Amino acid sequence: MNAANSNRATFGGRIAAVLAAAGSAIGLGNVWRFPGVADANGGGAFIIIYIVCVALMGLPLMVAEFSIGRHTRSNPVGAFRAIDRRWGWLGAMAVTTVFLILGYYFVVSGWTVAYVVNSAAGRVDSTFFARFITDPWQPLLYTAAFIAANHYIVERGVKRGIERASKILMPIFFAILLALAVYSLSMPDSSQAIRKVLTPDFGAVDASTVLAALSQAFFSLSIGMGIMITYGSYFKSETRLLPTAVNVALLDTLAAVIASIVILSAGVGDQSGSTLAFVALPEVFEGLPWGGFWSTLFFVLLALAAILSTVSIHEVVTVYLCEQRGMTRRRAARCVSAGAALLAVAASLSMGAWDDIRIFGRNIFDALDSLTATLLLPASGLLTCIFAGWIWDRRQFRGEVARSGGIDAKMFPTVGFLLRWVCPPLVAALFVFGLID
Ligand code: PHE
């Protein structure tokens, strides 16, 4: 650690570390992607395969990112550069990728807030979305409100902003999720949904299931984008990295599985993404007693899932500007919010007024989504595996992971082996199949 970085902020302890990282990991994907993918791939069988993917690929990569961050106490660009001067560009690639993701994630996040307000006012039905999304002002207004909340948290800093928000919002998220799960037991499809989640149907599993599980694990754990490097750089020296990563993965998987019960009970597992949340589900809620109340609660859940994820992305770019470009946190956070807001405006308008602006045949929103999800994320994930497995000096890496002895020291050889031999082919498969798909 160099002297300039020694007075950086840190999280209060292990619980803060777990909640902040879990806040990033648990996002819209847990609620609106996982359930449908699980449903189409053998239910419980998918969950088992998913957990294996998390263990073999997700955990080693997360531990590697935590170690890179904590060892260097730096943002992704500074971190890669500090370990090997020739690798700073990988950090730059990660920072660019998350910034692009922020642009369109802000847009859908804004929709969740719009749905909280409009569900509470009883204005949401199955036709609401089409009207809302083509309106030039409404989506922008809610996205602006969401960006403001996000900005507020990041500007307040690591401890008073991110740590505090995670400690308050994560428990609320889980409380709402549990309440919705209990409520969903009264829905007509609930016993079937629970059976699906609990009983593995391996007949529905094939090679594409494994790819789907890998890709979901990768995206859901927020790895390969410098986020876990950044958060790792705020961990205390005594925080144990492997148990922290395991806890993050457990919370993330738990959220996805409980969300599956809710989504499959509502009978909308054949949908995914914004169609599921903003069109199919409102239709279901419309026909249920107290539907407006539960629908509002559901969108609060989505908004909470979204905000801690966008905060983590925002933080990566903000701390990069602070440390590499010498800005104050305040100024850096403003630049990121303003820049992402511009992207968000373009992405938002591309769903309506600007739909005729096409990049490789896609509107701006979809172009940002596929550029990051199929190209940039897997590429930087693959390079991070290679860096941790093959480039970073083993003794230094081991020294960082095994600092607190115990299970971290014992498991290090396994983590190192997986990073060297197992993760690269798995992430490479994701990359290649994503491209040809
Ligand atoms: N992990 C989040 C999810 O499951 C998504 C996310 C992507 C978060 C990129 C941060 C950065 O939805």
Side-chain angles (χ1 to χ4, degrees), residues 348-400:
S348 182
L349 289 176
S350 79
M351 315 288 294
W354 291 5
D355 192 40
D356 48 344
I357 303 178
R358 295 278 156 167
I359 305 168
F360 293 115
R362 297 182 162 89
N363 68 27
I364 299 171
F365 184 97
D366 294 336
L368 281 177
D369 182 14
S370 46
L371 173 69
T372 51
T374 56
L375 204 65
L376 294 173
L377 280 186
S380 73
L382 178 58
L383 291 161
T384 308
C385 288
I386 294 173
F387 182 85
W390 295 92
I391 309 287
W392 194 9
D393 176 69
R394 253 310 132 103
R395 270 169 316 157
Q396 238 181 40
F397 185 7
R398 185 180 190 289
E400 191 55 51

Short mmCIF file of all heavy atoms in Angstrom, two decimals, residues 348-400:
data_model
loop_
_atom_site.label_atom_id
_atom_site.label_comp_id
_atom_site.label_asym_id
_atom_site.label_seq_id
_atom_site.Cartn_x
_atom_site.Cartn_y
_atom_site.Cartn_z
N SER A 348 -33.09 6.87 -22.84
CA SER A 348 -34.52 6.95 -22.54
C SER A 348 -35.30 7.40 -23.78
O SER A 348 -36.31 6.81 -24.14
CB SER A 348 -34.71 7.95 -21.38
OG SER A 348 -36.06 8.01 -21.04
N LEU A 349 -34.79 8.45 -24.44
CA LEU A 349 -35.50 8.93 -25.62
C LEU A 349 -35.48 7.91 -26.75
O LEU A 349 -36.36 7.91 -27.61
CB LEU A 349 -34.90 10.26 -26.08
CG LEU A 349 -35.18 11.44 -25.16
CD1 LEU A 349 -34.45 12.68 -25.64
CD2 LEU A 349 -36.68 11.72 -25.07
N SER A 350 -34.46 7.03 -26.73
CA SER A 350 -34.36 6.05 -27.82
C SER A 350 -35.51 5.03 -27.76
O SER A 350 -35.71 4.26 -28.69
CB SER A 350 -33.01 5.34 -27.79
OG SER A 350 -33.00 4.34 -26.81
N MET A 351 -36.24 5.01 -26.64
CA MET A 351 -37.38 4.11 -26.55
C MET A 351 -38.62 4.76 -27.19
O MET A 351 -39.64 4.13 -27.34
CB MET A 351 -37.74 3.79 -25.10
CG MET A 351 -36.58 3.46 -24.22
SD MET A 351 -35.86 1.86 -24.56
CE MET A 351 -37.19 0.78 -24.11
N GLY A 352 -38.51 6.04 -27.47
CA GLY A 352 -39.67 6.71 -28.05
C GLY A 352 -39.23 7.60 -29.20
O GLY A 352 -38.95 7.12 -30.30
N ALA A 353 -39.10 8.89 -28.90
CA ALA A 353 -38.83 9.89 -29.94
C ALA A 353 -37.59 9.58 -30.80
O ALA A 353 -37.58 9.83 -31.99
CB ALA A 353 -38.68 11.27 -29.30
N TRP A 354 -36.55 9.05 -30.18
CA TRP A 354 -35.31 8.82 -30.94
C TRP A 354 -35.14 7.38 -31.41
O TRP A 354 -34.02 6.94 -31.65
CB TRP A 354 -34.09 9.18 -30.07
CG TRP A 354 -33.95 10.64 -29.80
CD1 TRP A 354 -34.81 11.63 -30.14
CD2 TRP A 354 -32.87 11.28 -29.10
NE1 TRP A 354 -34.34 12.84 -29.70
CE2 TRP A 354 -33.15 12.65 -29.06
CE3 TRP A 354 -31.69 10.81 -28.51
CZ2 TRP A 354 -32.30 13.57 -28.45
CZ3 TRP A 354 -30.85 11.74 -27.89
CH2 TRP A 354 -31.15 13.10 -27.87
N ASP A 355 -36.24 6.68 -31.54
CA ASP A 355 -36.15 5.27 -31.87
C ASP A 355 -35.51 5.03 -33.25
O ASP A 355 -35.02 3.95 -33.55
CB ASP A 355 -37.55 4.63 -31.83
CG ASP A 355 -37.47 3.12 -31.88
OD1 ASP A 355 -36.57 2.56 -31.23
OD2 ASP A 355 -38.30 2.52 -32.59
N ASP A 356 -35.53 6.07 -34.08
CA ASP A 356 -34.97 5.85 -35.43
C ASP A 356 -33.45 6.03 -35.48
O ASP A 356 -32.83 5.81 -36.51
CB ASP A 356 -35.67 6.76 -36.45
CG ASP A 356 -35.75 8.19 -35.94
OD1 ASP A 356 -35.55 8.39 -34.72
OD2 ASP A 356 -36.01 9.10 -36.75
N ILE A 357 -32.84 6.44 -34.35
CA ILE A 357 -31.37 6.48 -34.34
C ILE A 357 -30.88 5.06 -34.07
O ILE A 357 -31.17 4.48 -33.02
CB ILE A 357 -30.84 7.41 -33.23
CG1 ILE A 357 -31.42 8.80 -33.42
CG2 ILE A 357 -29.30 7.44 -33.23
CD1 ILE A 357 -31.00 9.78 -32.36
N ARG A 358 -30.16 4.49 -35.04
CA ARG A 358 -29.79 3.07 -34.91
C ARG A 358 -28.28 2.88 -34.90
O ARG A 358 -27.56 3.49 -35.69
CB ARG A 358 -30.38 2.29 -36.08
CG ARG A 358 -31.90 2.26 -36.08
CD ARG A 358 -32.38 1.20 -35.14
NE ARG A 358 -33.72 1.46 -34.66
CZ ARG A 358 -34.44 0.54 -34.03
NH1 ARG A 358 -33.97 -0.67 -33.82
NH2 ARG A 358 -35.64 0.83 -33.58
N ILE A 359 -27.80 2.03 -33.98
CA ILE A 359 -26.39 1.67 -33.96
C ILE A 359 -26.34 0.16 -34.21
O ILE A 359 -26.87 -0.61 -33.40
CB ILE A 359 -25.78 1.99 -32.57
CG1 ILE A 359 -26.01 3.46 -32.23
CG2 ILE A 359 -24.29 1.65 -32.55
CD1 ILE A 359 -25.72 3.83 -30.80
N PHE A 360 -25.78 -0.25 -35.32
CA PHE A 360 -25.81 -1.66 -35.74
C PHE A 360 -27.22 -2.23 -35.64
O PHE A 360 -27.44 -3.31 -35.11
CB PHE A 360 -24.86 -2.50 -34.90
CG PHE A 360 -23.42 -2.15 -35.12
CD1 PHE A 360 -22.65 -1.61 -34.10
CD2 PHE A 360 -22.81 -2.35 -36.36
CE1 PHE A 360 -21.32 -1.27 -34.31
CE2 PHE A 360 -21.49 -2.00 -36.57
CZ PHE A 360 -20.74 -1.47 -35.56
N GLY A 361 -28.19 -1.47 -36.12
CA GLY A 361 -29.56 -1.96 -36.16
C GLY A 361 -30.31 -1.88 -34.84
O GLY A 361 -31.47 -2.28 -34.75
N ARG A 362 -29.67 -1.38 -33.79
CA ARG A 362 -30.36 -1.33 -32.49
C ARG A 362 -30.55 0.12 -32.06
O ARG A 362 -29.74 0.98 -32.42
CB ARG A 362 -29.52 -2.03 -31.42
CG ARG A 362 -29.31 -3.49 -31.67
CD ARG A 362 -28.49 -4.04 -30.50
NE ARG A 362 -28.60 -5.48 -30.43
CZ ARG A 362 -27.79 -6.31 -31.09
NH1 ARG A 362 -26.83 -5.82 -31.85
NH2 ARG A 362 -27.93 -7.62 -30.99
N ASN A 363 -31.59 0.36 -31.26
CA ASN A 363 -31.70 1.72 -30.72
C ASN A 363 -30.64 1.90 -29.62
O ASN A 363 -29.98 0.94 -29.21
CB ASN A 363 -33.13 2.02 -30.24
CG ASN A 363 -33.54 1.21 -29.03
OD1 ASN A 363 -32.70 0.80 -28.23
ND2 ASN A 363 -34.83 0.98 -28.89
N ILE A 364 -30.45 3.13 -29.16
CA ILE A 364 -29.32 3.43 -28.25
C ILE A 364 -29.37 2.57 -26.99
O ILE A 364 -28.37 2.01 -26.55
CB ILE A 364 -29.33 4.93 -27.87
CG1 ILE A 364 -29.17 5.78 -29.13
CG2 ILE A 364 -28.22 5.25 -26.87
CD1 ILE A 364 -29.36 7.27 -28.92
N PHE A 365 -30.57 2.42 -26.43
CA PHE A 365 -30.74 1.64 -25.21
C PHE A 365 -30.26 0.20 -25.42
O PHE A 365 -29.42 -0.32 -24.68
CB PHE A 365 -32.23 1.65 -24.81
CG PHE A 365 -32.52 0.95 -23.52
CD1 PHE A 365 -32.63 1.66 -22.34
CD2 PHE A 365 -32.72 -0.43 -23.49
CE1 PHE A 365 -32.91 1.01 -21.15
CE2 PHE A 365 -32.98 -1.08 -22.31
CZ PHE A 365 -33.09 -0.36 -21.14
N ASP A 366 -30.78 -0.45 -26.46
CA ASP A 366 -30.41 -1.85 -26.71
C ASP A 366 -28.94 -1.98 -27.11
O ASP A 366 -28.29 -2.98 -26.81
CB ASP A 366 -31.29 -2.46 -27.80
CG ASP A 366 -32.74 -2.57 -27.34
OD1 ASP A 366 -32.94 -2.62 -26.11
OD2 ASP A 366 -33.65 -2.58 -28.19
N ALA A 367 -28.42 -0.96 -27.81
CA ALA A 367 -27.01 -1.02 -28.22
C ALA A 367 -26.11 -0.98 -26.98
O ALA A 367 -25.15 -1.75 -26.88
CB ALA A 367 -26.69 0.15 -29.15
N LEU A 368 -26.42 -0.11 -26.03
CA LEU A 368 -25.63 -0.05 -24.79
C LEU A 368 -25.70 -1.37 -24.05
O LEU A 368 -24.69 -1.89 -23.56
CB LEU A 368 -26.16 1.06 -23.86
CG LEU A 368 -25.76 2.49 -24.19
CD1 LEU A 368 -26.44 3.45 -23.22
CD2 LEU A 368 -24.26 2.66 -24.12
N ASP A 369 -26.92 -1.92 -23.99
CA ASP A 369 -27.13 -3.17 -23.28
C ASP A 369 -26.31 -4.29 -23.92
O ASP A 369 -25.54 -4.98 -23.25
CB ASP A 369 -28.63 -3.51 -23.31
CG ASP A 369 -28.93 -4.79 -22.56
OD1 ASP A 369 -28.06 -5.25 -21.81
OD2 ASP A 369 -30.04 -5.32 -22.72
N SER A 370 -26.40 -4.46 -25.25
CA SER A 370 -25.70 -5.63 -25.81
C SER A 370 -24.19 -5.40 -25.90
O SER A 370 -23.42 -6.34 -25.72
CB SER A 370 -26.30 -6.09 -27.14
OG SER A 370 -26.52 -5.02 -27.97
N LEU A 371 -23.77 -4.17 -26.12
CA LEU A 371 -22.33 -3.89 -26.15
C LEU A 371 -21.69 -4.27 -24.80
O LEU A 371 -20.65 -4.93 -24.75
CB LEU A 371 -22.08 -2.41 -26.44
CG LEU A 371 -20.63 -1.93 -26.34
CD1 LEU A 371 -19.81 -2.52 -27.48
CD2 LEU A 371 -20.54 -0.41 -26.36
N THR A 372 -22.33 -3.87 -23.72
CA THR A 372 -21.74 -4.15 -22.41
C THR A 372 -21.95 -5.61 -22.01
O THR A 372 -21.00 -6.28 -21.62
CB THR A 372 -22.36 -3.25 -21.33
OG1 THR A 372 -23.77 -3.33 -21.41
CG2 THR A 372 -21.92 -1.82 -21.50
N ALA A 373 -23.17 -6.13 -22.14
CA ALA A 373 -23.45 -7.46 -21.61
C ALA A 373 -22.77 -8.57 -22.41
O ALA A 373 -22.29 -9.54 -21.83
CB ALA A 373 -24.96 -7.71 -21.55
N THR A 374 -22.73 -8.44 -23.74
CA THR A 374 -22.17 -9.57 -24.49
C THR A 374 -20.71 -9.38 -24.86
O THR A 374 -20.01 -10.33 -25.12
CB THR A 374 -22.96 -9.86 -25.79
OG1 THR A 374 -22.98 -8.68 -26.56
CG2 THR A 374 -24.36 -10.31 -25.51
N LEU A 375 -20.23 -8.13 -24.85
CA LEU A 375 -18.86 -7.93 -25.30
C LEU A 375 -17.94 -7.49 -24.15
O LEU A 375 -17.01 -8.20 -23.76
CB LEU A 375 -18.88 -6.87 -26.41
CG LEU A 375 -17.71 -6.90 -27.37
CD1 LEU A 375 -17.73 -8.19 -28.16
CD2 LEU A 375 -17.78 -5.69 -28.31
N LEU A 376 -18.21 -6.31 -23.62
CA LEU A 376 -17.25 -5.72 -22.69
C LEU A 376 -17.15 -6.46 -21.36
O LEU A 376 -16.05 -6.70 -20.86
CB LEU A 376 -17.60 -4.25 -22.45
CG LEU A 376 -17.45 -3.36 -23.68
CD1 LEU A 376 -17.99 -1.96 -23.42
CD2 LEU A 376 -15.98 -3.27 -24.09
N LEU A 377 -18.31 -6.84 -20.79
CA LEU A 377 -18.26 -7.49 -19.47
C LEU A 377 -17.51 -8.82 -19.51
O LEU A 377 -16.58 -9.03 -18.73
CB LEU A 377 -19.67 -7.73 -18.92
CG LEU A 377 -20.35 -6.55 -18.26
CD1 LEU A 377 -21.66 -7.00 -17.64
CD2 LEU A 377 -19.45 -5.97 -17.20
N PRO A 378 -17.91 -9.76 -20.41
CA PRO A 378 -17.17 -11.03 -20.43
C PRO A 378 -15.70 -10.82 -20.78
O PRO A 378 -14.83 -11.50 -20.22
CB PRO A 378 -17.86 -11.85 -21.51
CG PRO A 378 -19.16 -11.19 -21.76
CD PRO A 378 -19.03 -9.77 -21.37
N ALA A 379 -15.40 -9.87 -21.67
CA ALA A 379 -14.00 -9.65 -22.02
C ALA A 379 -13.22 -9.19 -20.80
O ALA A 379 -12.15 -9.73 -20.49
CB ALA A 379 -13.89 -8.63 -23.15
N SER A 380 -13.74 -8.22 -20.06
CA SER A 380 -12.94 -7.76 -18.92
C SER A 380 -12.95 -8.81 -17.81
O SER A 380 -11.97 -8.92 -17.06
CB SER A 380 -13.36 -6.37 -18.44
OG SER A 380 -14.57 -6.42 -17.77
N GLY A 381 -14.01 -9.63 -17.73
CA GLY A 381 -14.01 -10.73 -16.76
C GLY A 381 -12.92 -11.74 -17.09
O GLY A 381 -12.17 -12.18 -16.20
N LEU A 382 -12.81 -12.08 -18.36
CA LEU A 382 -11.81 -13.06 -18.79
C LEU A 382 -10.40 -12.54 -18.50
O LEU A 382 -9.54 -13.25 -17.96
CB LEU A 382 -11.98 -13.33 -20.29
CG LEU A 382 -10.99 -14.31 -20.92
CD1 LEU A 382 -11.05 -15.66 -20.23
CD2 LEU A 382 -11.28 -14.48 -22.41
N LEU A 383 -10.18 -11.27 -18.82
CA LEU A 383 -8.85 -10.70 -18.61
C LEU A 383 -8.53 -10.61 -17.10
O LEU A 383 -7.38 -10.79 -16.70
CB LEU A 383 -8.77 -9.32 -19.27
CG LEU A 383 -8.79 -9.41 -20.81
CD1 LEU A 383 -9.17 -8.08 -21.44
CD2 LEU A 383 -7.44 -9.89 -21.33
N THR A 384 -9.56 -10.35 -16.29
CA THR A 384 -9.33 -10.31 -14.85
C THR A 384 -8.91 -11.69 -14.32
O THR A 384 -8.01 -11.80 -13.49
CB THR A 384 -10.59 -9.81 -14.09
OG1 THR A 384 -11.01 -8.58 -14.69
CG2 THR A 384 -10.31 -9.59 -12.62
N CYS A 385 -9.58 -12.77 -14.83
CA CYS A 385 -9.19 -14.14 -14.45
C CYS A 385 -7.73 -14.37 -14.80
O CYS A 385 -6.95 -14.90 -14.01
CB CYS A 385 -9.90 -15.20 -15.27
SG CYS A 385 -11.58 -15.44 -14.97
N ILE A 386 -7.38 -14.02 -16.03
CA ILE A 386 -6.02 -14.27 -16.50
C ILE A 386 -5.03 -13.49 -15.66
O ILE A 386 -3.99 -14.01 -15.25
CB ILE A 386 -5.91 -13.91 -18.00
CG1 ILE A 386 -6.78 -14.88 -18.81
CG2 ILE A 386 -4.46 -13.94 -18.47
CD1 ILE A 386 -6.89 -14.55 -20.27
N PHE A 387 -5.39 -12.25 -15.36
CA PHE A 387 -4.51 -11.41 -14.54
C PHE A 387 -4.28 -12.05 -13.17
O PHE A 387 -3.16 -12.20 -12.72
CB PHE A 387 -5.13 -10.02 -14.39
CG PHE A 387 -4.27 -9.07 -13.61
CD1 PHE A 387 -3.26 -8.36 -14.23
CD2 PHE A 387 -4.47 -8.91 -12.24
CE1 PHE A 387 -2.45 -7.50 -13.50
CE2 PHE A 387 -3.67 -8.06 -11.51
CZ PHE A 387 -2.66 -7.34 -12.14
N ALA A 388 -5.41 -12.44 -12.53
CA ALA A 388 -5.28 -12.99 -11.17
C ALA A 388 -4.62 -14.37 -11.18
O ALA A 388 -3.85 -14.71 -10.29
CB ALA A 388 -6.65 -13.06 -10.50
N GLY A 389 -4.94 -15.18 -12.21
CA GLY A 389 -4.43 -16.54 -12.22
C GLY A 389 -2.99 -16.63 -12.72
O GLY A 389 -2.23 -17.48 -12.26
N TRP A 390 -2.64 -15.80 -13.67
CA TRP A 390 -1.37 -15.98 -14.36
C TRP A 390 -0.39 -14.83 -14.23
O TRP A 390 0.82 -15.03 -14.35
CB TRP A 390 -1.61 -16.25 -15.85
CG TRP A 390 -2.34 -17.54 -16.08
CD1 TRP A 390 -3.70 -17.69 -16.18
CD2 TRP A 390 -1.78 -18.84 -16.20
NE1 TRP A 390 -4.01 -19.01 -16.36
CE2 TRP A 390 -2.85 -19.74 -16.39
CE3 TRP A 390 -0.47 -19.34 -16.18
CZ2 TRP A 390 -2.66 -21.11 -16.55
CZ3 TRP A 390 -0.28 -20.70 -16.34
CH2 TRP A 390 -1.37 -21.56 -16.52
N ILE A 391 -0.87 -13.62 -14.04
CA ILE A 391 0.05 -12.47 -14.05
C ILE A 391 0.50 -12.08 -12.65
O ILE A 391 1.68 -11.86 -12.39
CB ILE A 391 -0.60 -11.25 -14.74
CG1 ILE A 391 -1.18 -11.63 -16.09
CG2 ILE A 391 0.38 -10.08 -14.83
CD1 ILE A 391 -0.17 -11.88 -17.18
N TRP A 392 -0.47 -11.99 -11.75
CA TRP A 392 -0.17 -11.50 -10.41
C TRP A 392 0.73 -12.50 -9.68
O TRP A 392 0.45 -13.70 -9.68
CB TRP A 392 -1.47 -11.27 -9.62
CG TRP A 392 -1.26 -10.47 -8.37
CD1 TRP A 392 -0.14 -9.80 -7.97
CD2 TRP A 392 -2.24 -10.24 -7.33
NE1 TRP A 392 -0.36 -9.16 -6.78
CE2 TRP A 392 -1.63 -9.42 -6.36
CE3 TRP A 392 -3.57 -10.65 -7.15
CZ2 TRP A 392 -2.31 -9.00 -5.21
CZ3 TRP A 392 -4.24 -10.23 -6.01
CH2 TRP A 392 -3.62 -9.42 -5.04
N ASP A 393 1.78 -11.98 -9.08
CA ASP A 393 2.71 -12.81 -8.33
C ASP A 393 1.97 -13.63 -7.25
O ASP A 393 1.26 -13.07 -6.40
CB ASP A 393 3.74 -11.89 -7.66
CG ASP A 393 4.69 -12.64 -6.78
OD1 ASP A 393 5.50 -13.40 -7.33
OD2 ASP A 393 4.60 -12.49 -5.54
N ARG A 394 2.13 -14.94 -7.32
CA ARG A 394 1.39 -15.84 -6.45
C ARG A 394 1.57 -15.55 -4.96
O ARG A 394 0.64 -15.61 -4.16
CB ARG A 394 1.84 -17.28 -6.70
CG ARG A 394 0.87 -18.19 -7.45
CD ARG A 394 -0.49 -18.16 -6.90
NE ARG A 394 -1.48 -18.00 -7.95
CZ ARG A 394 -2.23 -18.96 -8.44
NH1 ARG A 394 -2.19 -20.16 -7.96
NH2 ARG A 394 -3.10 -18.72 -9.38
N ARG A 395 2.83 -15.24 -4.59
CA ARG A 395 3.08 -15.04 -3.16
C ARG A 395 2.37 -13.79 -2.65
O ARG A 395 1.81 -13.75 -1.56
CB ARG A 395 4.58 -14.95 -2.89
CG ARG A 395 5.19 -16.33 -2.59
CD ARG A 395 6.66 -16.19 -2.59
NE ARG A 395 7.02 -15.35 -3.75
CZ ARG A 395 8.12 -14.64 -3.88
NH1 ARG A 395 8.99 -14.62 -2.92
NH2 ARG A 395 8.38 -13.94 -4.97
N GLN A 396 2.39 -12.74 -3.50
CA GLN A 396 1.71 -11.50 -3.12
C GLN A 396 0.20 -11.74 -2.98
O GLN A 396 -0.43 -11.32 -2.01
CB GLN A 396 1.92 -10.47 -4.22
CG GLN A 396 2.61 -9.22 -3.74
CD GLN A 396 2.77 -8.24 -4.88
OE1 GLN A 396 1.89 -8.07 -5.73
NE2 GLN A 396 3.92 -7.59 -4.89
N PHE A 397 -0.35 -12.43 -3.96
CA PHE A 397 -1.78 -12.73 -3.99
C PHE A 397 -2.13 -13.55 -2.74
O PHE A 397 -3.06 -13.24 -1.99
CB PHE A 397 -2.07 -13.51 -5.28
CG PHE A 397 -3.53 -13.81 -5.55
CD1 PHE A 397 -4.54 -13.29 -4.77
CD2 PHE A 397 -3.88 -14.62 -6.64
CE1 PHE A 397 -5.88 -13.57 -5.05
CE2 PHE A 397 -5.21 -14.90 -6.92
CZ PHE A 397 -6.19 -14.38 -6.12
N ARG A 398 -1.33 -14.59 -2.50
CA ARG A 398 -1.58 -15.44 -1.35
C ARG A 398 -1.50 -14.63 -0.06
O ARG A 398 -2.34 -14.74 0.84
CB ARG A 398 -0.56 -16.58 -1.30
CG ARG A 398 -0.85 -17.55 -0.20
CD ARG A 398 0.14 -18.70 -0.11
NE ARG A 398 -0.37 -19.69 0.81
CZ ARG A 398 -0.44 -19.51 2.12
NH1 ARG A 398 0.00 -18.40 2.65
NH2 ARG A 398 -0.96 -20.44 2.90
N GLY A 399 -0.49 -13.77 0.02
CA GLY A 399 -0.30 -12.94 1.22
C GLY A 399 -1.54 -12.10 1.50
O GLY A 399 -1.95 -11.93 2.64
N GLU A 400 -2.18 -11.58 0.44
CA GLU A 400 -3.35 -10.73 0.64
C GLU A 400 -4.56 -11.56 1.09
O GLU A 400 -5.27 -11.18 2.01
CB GLU A 400 -3.68 -10.00 -0.67
CG GLU A 400 -4.71 -8.90 -0.51
CD GLU A 400 -4.32 -7.88 0.55
OE1 GLU A 400 -3.18 -7.38 0.49
OE2 GLU A 400 -5.13 -7.61 1.45
#
